[in-house]
Amino acid sequence: MKIEKIKESRINTVDFKNLDFGGVFTDHMYSCDFIDGKWINSEITPYKPITVSPASRVFHYGQACFEGMKAFKDNNDKTWLFRPIDNYERIIKSSKRLAMPEFPKDLFFNALHNLLKIDADWIKPGFGNSLYIRPFIFASEGSINATEAKEYKFMIICAPASSYYSGEVRVKIEKSFSRAAKGGIGYAKAAGNYAAQFYPTILAKNEGYQQIIWTDSSTHEYIEEAGTMNLFFRIGNKLITAPTSDSILDGITRKSLIQIAKDENIDVEIRPLLVSELIDAANNGSLFEIFGSGTAVVVLPILGFGYENNKYELPIKENSWANLLKNKLNNIQYNISKDPYGWTIEV
Ligand code: COI
């Protein structure tokens, strides 16, 4: 791998206390090209704009997918990646669905390792601070023939992160628009899955919500996931989350929380949840918590939701399961408590 280091770091120009999620990037980036059936030009360079043909299929047909992963700094200045193998496996699954070539595992981990070593100072210690890592792959071949491309670019860029949302989050249960249909690309981290939510989310924002909860595309009766996260519902003494499917993303934070919750003796039910069941629970007082999970948001308590013309508020709980699970997860991610699951990998 070729490595070209920046002459002067930009780190001193960054206000790490007031980071806007995803707006500031570290000094370096990784890129690699797929040309003539081979991955070549594997290199780390200073973070900079790239040049591609305006006919690149990514711009016309959206042939692109990505991952979201995080690195954490512990109190001894060591850097830890959280479940990176799961991210690698998921980008391979997404690539396959979008007819893109597999990026080799050794190149992926070599690139990550080198990039995080070079930009290690950008990862700040302390709960809430992390480095958000964005691997992505897109069709770079300059042709607008509507078939899969023959050339691709794989890249990794990194953004220092604190919280994803700065304020309270309320969500609207979406009944008209759909995120994903059976047999579609909902399970893949396809770029277009996220673009498709922007418009319905703008409409929801106009009504005072920060995000939407997707329901199934055929009946709109079952809860699926939210715009940037999977969802958990504490109803009675159970923690309920929808099963992953071809329309729901197999969230890595989601499956980590399920594991931790089970080990905390929380009764976890992975099953389809009807919107009507949620409304009944809200009305009869048995809905105690809703929270989202995702790499970017980690664990995010949801303070209220809207359905049709009704708004529901959730009681703020001192001893919430959201807090309990978030703390347990953070302790593992920041190497504060022992990782009994083998999820963390030191860089
Ligand atoms: C993530 O949590 O990593 C995501 O991909 C959500 C997002 C910021 C699009």
Side-chain angles (χ1 to χ4, degrees):
M1 174 191 311
K2 206 174 114 198
I3 299 181
E4 180 199 337
K5 289 199 188 160
I6 198 147
K7 290 200 176 64
E8 200 180 333
S9 174
R10 286 177 283 106
I11 198 162
N12 291 332
T13 65
V14 176
D15 179 0
F16 282 85
K17 295 226 157 36
N18 293 295
L19 287 168
D20 222 4
F21 181 89
V24 172
F25 295 92
T26 61
D27 286 327
H28 297 88
M29 65 184 197
Y30 172 79
S31 67
C32 192
D33 298 315
F34 187 80
I35 297 172
D36 290 336
K38 286 193 203 75
W39 287 102
I40 57 167
N41 306 332
S42 169
E43 59 179 15
I44 287 177
T45 61
Y47 183 90
K48 61 181 179 198
I50 54 169
T51 307
V52 287
S53 162
S56 295
R57 279 173 173 83
V58 64
F59 300 132
H60 306 273
Y61 309 120
Q63 201 187 3
C65 66
F66 69 94
E67 265 309 313
M69 52 200 298
K70 272 184 178 167
F72 303 87
K73 187 76 69 67
D74 71 15
N75 292 331
N76 296 316
D77 215 34
K78 286 186 179 159
T79 300
W80 299 86
L81 276 163
F82 184 69
R83 305 191 76 166
I85 295 160
D86 297 68
N87 291 103
Y88 175 74
E89 285 170 355
R90 197 169 57 184
I91 203 166
I92 295 303
K93 211 165 143 189
S94 302
S95 303
K96 188 167 179 193
R97 179 63 182 84
L98 291 157
M100 302 196 281
E102 275 190 21
F103 189 68
K105 195 171 182 177
D106 56 335
L107 287 186
F108 184 88
F109 282 96
N110 204 7
L112 262 183
H113 184 84
N114 280 299
L115 202 50
L116 296 192
K117 282 274 183 213
I118 293 173
D119 283 340
D121 288 348
W122 290 77
I123 316 170
K124 301 294 178 195
F127 266 14
N129 297 321
S130 64
L131 187 73
Y132 184 82
I133 305 165
R134 175 55 65 87
F136 60 107
I137 165 169
F138 63 90
S140 51
E141 186 190 352
S143 162
I144 52 168
N145 187 312
T147 52
E148 79 283 5
K150 288 194 277 309
E151 292 176 8
Y152 297 86
K153 215 175 209 349
F154 173 89
M155 300 189 68
I156 305 178
I157 55 176
C158 302
S162 45
S163 62
Y164 187 81
Y165 288 103
S166 48
E168 298 184 339
V169 174
R170 290 180 173 74
V171 292
K172 175 188 167 187
I173 300 181
E174 181 58 56
K175 278 190 67 180
S176 317
F177 297 100
S178 299
R179 175 182 175 276
K182 278 213 171 324
I185 58 171
Y187 69 87
K189 245 176 137 53
N193 281 340
Y194 293 80
Q197 77 177 320
F198 296 160
Y199 178 62
T201 308
I202 290 172
L203 300 183
K205 279 184 181 161
N206 291 342
E207 294 174 51
Y209 303 100
Q210 283 65 44
Q211 205 173 103
I212 45 184
I213 289 188
W214 294 111
T215 49
D216 70 290
S217 61
S218 46
T219 66
H220 292 293
E221 284 178 8
Y222 289 93
I223 304 273
E224 294 214 314
E225 62 178 78
T228 55
M229 51 199 182
N230 295 109
L231 292 166
F232 288 84
F233 302 86
R234 178 179 182 177
I235 298 179
N237 60 356
K238 295 187 189 314
L239 185 63
I240 304 170
T241 189
T244 54
S245 66
D246 54 3
S247 59
I248 300 184
L249 188 86
D250 186 5
I252 294 165
T253 311
R254 171 188 174 278
K255 61 186 180 190
S256 307
L257 295 186
I258 291 172
Q259 179 72 58
I260 295 172
K262 285 183 175 167
D263 292 345
E264 286 298 305
N265 294 320
I266 292 174
D267 193 355
V268 182
E269 283 189 355
I270 303 170
R271 63 163 173 90
L273 177 67
L274 280 163
V275 177
S276 58
E277 192 183 340
L278 181 68
I279 304 297
D280 286 350
N283 286 332
N284 69 27
S286 62
L287 174 65
F288 297 121
E289 285 180 62
I290 303 179
F291 53 91
S293 69
T295 300
V297 299
V298 192
V299 177
L300 183 84
I302 290 168
L303 298 192
F305 70 96
Y307 182 61
E308 296 180 325
N309 290 323
N310 298 316
K311 293 195 175 193
Y312 302 82
E313 283 293 300
L314 287 160
I316 310 231
K317 282 184 77 75
E318 282 284 295
N319 299 317
S320 70
W321 282 352
N323 270 342
L324 171 83
L325 299 176
K326 184 178 179 178
N327 284 335
K328 294 262 166 202
L329 179 70
N330 276 163
N331 283 341
I332 293 174
Q333 291 174 324
Y334 290 88
N335 191 32
I336 287 169
S337 60
K338 210 170 148 330
D339 169 12
Y341 310 108
W343 288 338
T344 50
I345 293 185
E346 193 183 340
V347 177

